[in-house]
Amino acid sequence: MENFTVFADYGPLRYLFFSLSLLIYMTIISANLVIVLSVFCLENSLHQPMYIFICSLCLNSLYGSTGFFPRFLMDLLSNTHFISCPLCFTQMYVITTYLGHEVSLLTVMAYDRFAAICQPLHYHSKMTFRTVLLLLILVVLYTVGGAAYVLYQPTTLPLCGNKLNRIYCNDWSVTELSCEDLTAIRITSHFYAIAFFFIHLSFILYTYLRILLVCRRSSSEFRGKALQTCLPHIVTFGNFCISVLCEVLLNRYNIDEVNPSVVIALSLEFLIIPPIINPLVYGLNLPQIRAHIPFRRVL
């Protein structure tokens, strides 16, 4: 099979959708680049583990958005909505690794906050530049390995159709085109998805439980500072969980019975909301970053 057909019935509103999508994409690029430039290029005092992880989160947002928006913008203006197999699987890989990087980075950031608040005397000896670099490398390798497993099945299944009921390529939309019985694959994929997110969620909840116990025994000033550094991470992680839930619901249920507008909105949620929310939450909430953001008076 040489091409897939993506769901793309935009009608006469295609130019409006194109303008809105281009505006959203430019906003994502601008907001995340401001954080990256502020951390890495404009201020040496921000070369600390917490800000390096925030910068990595913004770079991942740029990576995931670029894996989706350029193709989507082209599709909006095109009368045909075909995507080649290599390009489709490339998009699947980018979006899958984007999700994996996001949840893994949020987990590493939870550990960083745990070490800073619960073990402040040992923080600088634990979170050295070498440790931060090693954690980032492990995040990439761990995610790439998981993505290879997720994408292996769609590449080996015989397909009996080419119409994807999504506006982008993902592993389950391609798997559903298979001629074979998908019961075993469905069970396996459910187990893997649940295990993957349960491990990360359990670790993050454990770190925040320990942080709460420390804050309970500390002064109100200490609690205020801890909340200030933890709140952006809590908001980011909560927003990401909602985004992933929307994606999982679309992947596991029959979307033919759902209003197309709802399908499009839910499909785009995890590709739009986190990349916009993340730099805004960190840029506006953390004074250390806000003080070095260009055009901060506008913010």
Side-chain angles (χ1 to χ4, degrees), residues 14-35:
R14 67 167 67 185
Y15 297 108
L16 175 61
F17 290 158
F18 176 85
S19 300
L20 291 175
S21 298
L22 182 60
L23 177 62
I24 290 171
Y25 186 38
M26 291 298 101
T27 301
I28 290 172
I29 292 176
S30 302
N32 286 280
L33 276 181
V34 164
I35 300 297

Side-chain angles (χ1 to χ4, degrees), residues 107-249:
T107 304
V108 170
M109 291 171 74
Y111 172 74
D112 175 68
R113 291 300 82 207
F114 163 75
I117 295 172
C118 299
Q119 302 170 341
L121 298 180
H122 303 285
Y123 177 73
H124 292 291
S125 62
K126 284 188 173 183
M127 298 301 293
T128 62
F129 179 78
R130 182 178 180 180
T131 302
V132 171
L133 183 61
L134 179 61
L135 287 172
L136 292 176
I137 292 174
L138 288 175
V139 164
V140 173
L141 294 179
Y142 172 67
T143 303
V144 168
Y149 169 78
V150 170
L151 299 181
Y152 172 74
Q153 289 177 334
T155 60
T156 58
L157 291 172
L159 305 179
C160 294
N162 70 337
K163 184 177 180 181
L164 304 177
N165 291 321
R166 303 294 289 276
I167 56 178
Y168 60 88
C169 294
N170 73 346
D171 61 301
W172 192 250
S173 62
V174 175
T175 301
E176 285 182 320
L177 299 176
S178 174
C179 311
E180 298 182 354
D181 180 23
L182 299 177
T183 303
I185 295 176
R186 191 184 299 271
I187 294 173
T188 303
S189 63
H190 280 188
F191 176 79
Y192 176 80
I194 292 172
F196 179 80
F197 285 103
F198 181 77
I199 291 172
H200 291 277
L201 179 62
S202 298
F203 182 81
I204 291 174
L205 291 178
Y206 169 76
T207 59
Y208 274 103
L209 177 61
R210 293 286 303 275
I211 289 172
L212 286 174
L213 292 175
V214 170
C215 289
R216 185 180 178 183
R217 299 191 299 266
S218 304
S219 65
S220 58
E221 182 182 357
F222 181 88
R223 288 196 295 269
K225 290 181 179 180
L227 178 63
Q228 185 181 56
T229 60
C230 291
L231 184 60
H233 182 268
I234 295 172
V235 172
T236 302
F237 182 70
N239 174 65
F240 181 72
C241 287
I242 294 173
S243 302
V244 170
L245 178 61
C246 293
E247 175 67 7
V248 169
L249 290 175

